[in-house]
Amino acid sequence: MSDTLAPEAASSQDRRTVRVELGERSYDILIGCGLLAEAGAHIAAVLPKARVAIITDETVAGLHLKPLQASLDAAGIGHVTFTVPAGESTKRFEIFERLVDDVLAARLERGDAIVALGGGVVGDLSGFVAASVRRGMKFIQIPTTLLAQVDSSVGGKTGINSRHGKNLIGAFYQPSLVLADTAVLDTLPLRDFRAGYAEVAKYGLLGDEPFFSWLETNWQAVFVGGPERDEAVARSCQAKADVVAADEFEGGRRALLNLGHTFGHALESAVDYATERLVHGEGVSIGMMLAHEFSHRLGLLPQDAVDRVEAHLTEVGLPIRIQAIPGQMPPAETLLDIIAQDKKVSRGQLTFILVRAIGDSFVEKGIDRTQVLEFLKEKLDA
Amino acid sequence: MSDTLAPEAASSQDRRTVRVELGERSYDILIGCGLLAEAGAHIAAVLPKARVAIITDETVAGLHLKPLQASLDAAGIGHVTFTVPAGESTKRFEIFERLVDDVLAARLERGDAIVALGGGVVGDLSGFVAASVRRGMKFIQIPTTLLAQVDSSVGGKTGINSRHGKNLIGAFYQPSLVLADTAVLDTLPLRDFRAGYAEVAKYGLLGDEPFFSWLETNWQAVFVGGPERDEAVARSCQAKADVVAADEFEGGRRALLNLGHTFGHALESAVDYATERLVHGEGVSIGMMLAHEFSHRLGLLPQDAVDRVEAHLTEVGLPIRIQAIPGQMPPAETLLDIIAQDKKVSRGQLTFILVRAIGDSFVEKGIDRTQVLEFLKEKLDA
């Protein structure tokens, strides 16, 4: 016997499973290194006899498509692959329509699965395709970015963008399985990993001070890979799974997940989702900073909590000011108008996720427009 | 006191309510004369404070839009109206996309409602819009055809057509309320009422011999209006509600509702949904006749049951033979290919709803292609 562990045996010891409890729609998120190469076996276990359509983008296809296809072949799963351009602009009607047509042309049936291999764009788009073809096919998420692993692949939000805003067209549609292979995160540019980390930090800030504190200590280990990275992904998935299980259709508590997103979405929209200027997680980072500052402004949050958020986000290299976004930004009135059209608006009143302390967020409905406007003006002038 | 009843008082005595039991997604179908004029009050009772977008078609708008709008005004419900062309070709991607954009441009929110005023085309299309905008708005059905009142408005199937087949893109999405005003059926051309009647007869044939027998006796009274018409609508809705409650997502028993539809859809597709040649209910009528004849061919159903179906459908003026469809039909091989692409196909095997007796249908999977092909060839040559 060699005393060297086979890589597979080593990695399966490190697998974590997070269960999303949604009654008949419950599913597992598997987290660990090397899952991509075992995807076929995991899919076959959950959906015996299903054929699959892989939807991926050009960038991810070059990095991770072959191992996935090989793994499906090994499990005897028939597959077709549809590749879309990388980038947020792919989440549009024209591409949605084309994919729906492609899947139908491939004669996939209701019991067959769409497999999303990619980041949030691919996952959101593919999920809406899965929800809409034959009124609902099976759906598997294989998220390849940190953002997708800790956020967009979990919870069933799918959709595409509209000229009126982001994610305004879509469905709540749960996957049958999520495979988060943390090894693929090694292929991410630092900027993308860092942006995804904003969502990781968010779970601490919205409801888990000990996790935020753990991140303050361990963030470097998370960034360089290893067990801390898996731990951060698993704790984030667990946090999201808990919220989603309590409120699948965003009637209440799920709105907490939007901490930083009301401001963040407005900033993304203001730059027309131009990712060279701002990616989602960066918008969330600035948005979280603004949410904490706004909470302080309203007399809800002490300054030292604001400082602590600022210190950590700055330390990891995330932007925290609107001025960090390259190029011209629209005036505060325009940002407010974008916020008002955001789907988190309820009956004309502005809803914000505010913070009483690190790890203690809450939904505040009926925020006064004028206060937001003044706050934004000041932040734009700062 | 006058001894003449006010029309409203008279009609509310005749109201029937069918409850569709789907847990949190349960809803009522109200059936009776004059409901359109009371729509605002009924909607306000179910969705207080909601604004609505009415989606209707040009034909129905001319007949029934004003009373609905007046009723919403009277109830203080804000509304916008979007009108689409009448006809099956309206159930297409381009119009779906435009409506989604219209509803977003009108700044309707998640708690606001789409109101479908029209037949099956408007209901199916509007329901998919309601399901997709902001990942799900509220939805109200006001079906104006017999077909829509007894079938498409109940049960939550929404969708549009694809070049690959009918209703291949959509969602299961339940309404909050269905208002079936039987008075509007007076504005239907006889051909459309008759086509809708095919679905009424279907409920008897698939699971309720006493209802079929009642229809054999009372069909003329159903056609000319009056209490028998309301009774037929209510019994049909109840039958559909029972099946849907038992199997919302068509995993099993709900497939029985497709009696006559496998053949019927193939015929509709074969004429490219040209309604001057064949409307849906006529396809269903021919399809039900074929399903009974095919069941007889397989040795499952006695000839006298076949004769009874033939006699009743013929008596009411519905077509029962493929030859009744004007113009050229494609060969049997093409029809079979259409059937194979139909979404009722499961893992490559053909599934049919077959019949053991009047009112005793069942799902038969794994039907042999050759037998279907031989049967269709014979029917096309007959």
Side-chain angles (χ1 to χ4, degrees):
Chain A
M1 288 283 288
S2 160
D3 57 4
T4 310
L5 280 168
E8 212 170 288
S11 64
S12 27
Q13 289 183 331
D14 291 333
R15 293 291 145 76
R16 295 150 201 261
T17 302
V18 171
R19 179 86 177 159
V20 185
E21 289 291 352
L22 290 166
E24 289 177 356
R25 295 185 297 287
S26 296
Y27 55 95
D28 285 337
I29 308 165
L30 306 187
I31 299 145
C33 280
L35 280 166
L36 194 62
E38 300 162 19
H42 290 297
I43 293 171
V46 176
L47 301 174
K49 289 194 283 181
R51 293 191 302 144
V52 310
I54 302 166
I55 297 178
T56 189
D57 72 31
E58 286 156 5
T59 309
V60 175
L63 295 165
H64 307 300
L65 181 57
K66 284 210 174 114
L68 174 59
Q69 288 174 330
S71 148
L72 294 172
D73 287 337
I77 297 173
H79 54 88
V80 290
T81 300
F82 305 116
T83 307
V84 296
E88 185 74 29
S89 69
T90 286
K91 282 174 65 173
R92 65 179 194 268
F93 234 109
E94 179 196 342
I95 292 183
F96 170 67
E97 178 177 6
R98 201 188 71 209
L99 284 171
V100 163
D101 193 70
D102 286 343
V103 172
L104 286 168
R107 300 204 163 196
L108 291 178
E109 300 170 5
R110 270 191 192 161
D112 293 329
I114 302 291
V115 173
L117 176 71
V121 166
V122 164
D124 290 359
L125 172 68
S126 305
F128 189 34
V129 171
S132 303
V133 171
R134 299 173 188 275
R135 301 197 184 98
M137 300 174 56
K138 298 296 181 186
F139 180 45
I140 308 266
Q141 288 262 25
I142 306 184
T144 58
T145 66
L146 180 58
L147 177 70
Q149 290 189 354
V150 300
D151 181 21
S152 58
S153 71
V154 178
K157 280 195 181 181
T158 73
I160 56 176
N161 300 326
S162 149
R163 65 187 176 98
H164 301 288
K166 203 170 142 104
N167 295 319
L168 288 176
I169 309 163
F172 283 96
Y173 199 72
Q174 301 293 342
S176 300
L177 178 67
V178 180
L179 297 174
D181 183 346
T182 47
V184 306
L185 301 178
D186 292 345
T187 64
L188 279 190
L190 177 59
R191 184 186 175 198
D192 289 345
F193 187 89
R194 193 186 270 146
Y197 181 86
E199 298 279 0
V200 174
K202 183 190 75 176
Y203 292 111
L205 292 173
L206 74 87
D208 188 350
E209 194 281 334
F211 182 43
F212 187 72
S213 180
W214 182 88
L215 289 171
E216 288 176 313
T217 307
N218 295 285
W219 72 270
Q220 286 176 316
V222 172
F223 270 63
V224 300
E228 288 85 357
R229 186 171 66 183
D230 285 17
E231 174 71 10
V233 171
R235 282 181 79 159
S236 298
C237 287
Q238 187 65 59
K240 178 143 190 187
D242 291 347
V243 172
V244 169
D247 178 20
E248 183 176 5
F249 300 109
E250 202 168 19
R253 189 179 157 199
R254 183 159 181 171
L256 295 182
L257 296 174
N258 291 317
L259 177 60
H261 283 59
T262 305
F263 289 120
H265 280 164
L267 297 173
E268 284 186 272
S269 172
V271 302
D272 272 337
Y273 306 107
T275 51
E276 69 280 8
R277 297 178 65 189
L278 187 74
V279 296
H280 177 69
E282 292 165 351
V284 169
S285 180
I286 300 172
M288 288 194 298
M289 194 67 244
L290 292 173
H292 283 77
E293 289 176 324
F294 190 52
S295 299
H296 175 63
R297 171 71 49 90
L298 296 175
L300 295 162
L301 185 71
Q303 183 63 43
D304 62 348
V306 178
D307 295 342
R308 197 173 149 197
V309 175
E310 178 172 340
H312 184 59
L313 296 178
T314 304
E315 187 176 34
V316 304
L318 279 164
I320 53 166
R321 304 271 173 248
I322 299 177
Q323 285 74 14
I325 305 166
Q328 187 76 30
M329 289 302 284
E333 289 78 3
T334 305
L335 290 177
L336 186 64
D337 196 50
I338 297 170
I339 288 172
Q341 171 62 1
D342 191 285
K343 67 186 172 306
K344 259 71 73 183
V345 170
S346 176
R347 310 209 172 286
Q349 296 204 284
L350 298 182
T351 299
F352 280 83
I353 314 305
L354 298 179
V355 191
R356 285 188 208 90
I358 301 283
D360 184 7
S361 65
F362 63 102
V363 181
E364 178 62 54
K365 297 181 180 181
I367 287 283
D368 183 43
R369 287 174 66 99
T370 322
Q371 271 184 302
V372 182
L373 189 62
E374 290 309 309
F375 176 72
L376 283 172
K377 276 183 179 169
E378 192 182 304
K379 287 293 154 189
L380 283 163
D381 289 342
Chain B
M1 290 283 286
S2 158
D3 57 5
T4 311
L5 280 169
E8 212 170 288
S11 64
S12 26
Q13 290 184 332
D14 291 333
R15 295 290 146 76
R16 296 149 200 263
T17 302
V18 171
R19 180 83 177 161
V20 184
E21 290 291 352
L22 289 167
E24 290 176 356
R25 293 185 300 284
S26 296
Y27 56 95
D28 285 337
I29 308 164
L30 306 187
I31 299 146
C33 280
L35 280 166
L36 193 61
E38 301 161 20
H42 290 297
I43 292 170
V46 176
L47 300 174
K49 293 193 279 180
R51 293 192 302 145
V52 309
I54 302 166
I55 297 178
T56 188
D57 71 32
E58 286 155 5
T59 308
V60 174
L63 295 166
H64 307 300
L65 181 57
K66 286 214 172 106
L68 173 59
Q69 288 175 330
S71 146
L72 294 172
D73 287 336
I77 298 172
H79 54 88
V80 289
T81 300
F82 304 116
T83 306
V84 297
E88 185 74 30
S89 68
T90 287
K91 282 174 65 173
R92 66 179 193 269
F93 233 108
E94 178 197 343
I95 293 184
F96 170 67
E97 179 177 6
R98 202 187 69 210
L99 285 171
V100 163
D101 193 71
D102 287 342
V103 172
L104 287 169
R107 302 205 159 193
L108 292 178
E109 299 170 5
R110 271 192 191 159
D112 293 327
I114 302 292
V115 173
L117 175 71
V121 167
V122 164
D124 290 359
L125 172 67
S126 307
F128 189 35
V129 171
S132 302
V133 172
R134 299 173 186 277
R135 300 196 186 100
M137 300 175 56
K138 299 295 179 184
F139 180 42
I140 308 267
Q141 288 264 25
I142 306 185
T144 59
T145 65
L146 180 59
L147 177 70
Q149 291 190 352
V150 300
D151 182 21
S152 56
S153 72
V154 179
K157 281 196 182 180
T158 74
I160 56 177
N161 300 325
S162 149
R163 66 189 175 94
H164 301 288
K166 203 170 142 104
N167 296 319
L168 288 177
I169 310 162
F172 283 97
Y173 199 71
Q174 300 294 342
S176 301
L177 179 68
V178 181
L179 297 173
D181 183 346
T182 48
V184 305
L185 301 178
D186 292 345
T187 63
L188 279 189
L190 177 60
R191 185 186 174 199
D192 289 346
F193 187 90
R194 194 186 269 145
Y197 181 86
E199 298 279 0
V200 174
K202 184 191 75 176
Y203 292 110
L205 292 172
L206 75 86
D208 188 350
E209 194 280 334
F211 182 44
F212 187 74
S213 179
W214 183 87
L215 289 170
E216 288 176 313
T217 307
N218 294 286
W219 70 271
Q220 285 176 315
V222 172
F223 271 63
V224 299
E228 288 85 357
R229 186 172 66 185
D230 285 18
E231 175 71 12
V233 171
R235 283 182 80 160
S236 298
C237 286
Q238 187 65 58
K240 178 142 189 187
D242 291 347
V243 172
V244 169
D247 179 19
E248 182 177 5
F249 300 108
E250 202 167 17
R253 189 179 156 199
R254 183 160 181 170
L256 295 181
L257 296 174
N258 291 317
L259 176 63
H261 283 60
T262 306
F263 289 121
H265 281 163
L267 298 172
E268 284 187 272
S269 171
V271 302
D272 270 336
Y273 306 108
T275 52
E276 68 280 10
R277 295 176 67 188
L278 188 74
V279 296
H280 177 66
E282 292 165 350
V284 169
S285 179
I286 299 171
M288 289 196 297
M289 194 69 245
L290 292 172
H292 283 78
E293 290 176 325
F294 190 52
S295 298
H296 174 65
R297 171 71 49 91
L298 296 175
L300 296 162
L301 184 72
Q303 183 63 43
D304 61 348
V306 178
D307 296 342
R308 201 174 146 195
V309 175
E310 177 171 343
H312 184 59
L313 295 177
T314 305
E315 187 176 34
V316 306
L318 279 165
I320 52 167
R321 303 271 172 248
I322 299 177
Q323 285 74 14
I325 303 168
Q328 188 75 29
M329 289 301 285
E333 288 79 3
T334 306
L335 290 177
L336 186 64
D337 196 50
I338 298 170
I339 288 171
Q341 170 63 359
D342 191 285
K343 68 186 171 306
K344 258 72 73 183
V345 170
S346 175
R347 310 209 173 285
Q349 294 205 285
L350 298 182
T351 298
F352 280 83
I353 314 305
L354 299 179
V355 190
R356 284 188 208 91
I358 302 281
D360 183 8
S361 65
F362 64 102
V363 181
E364 177 63 53
K365 298 179 181 184
I367 288 282
D368 183 44
R369 287 175 67 100
T370 322
Q371 271 183 303
V372 182
L373 189 64
E374 290 308 310
F375 176 72
L376 282 172
K377 277 184 177 166
E378 192 181 303
K379 288 293 154 188
L380 282 163
D381 291 343

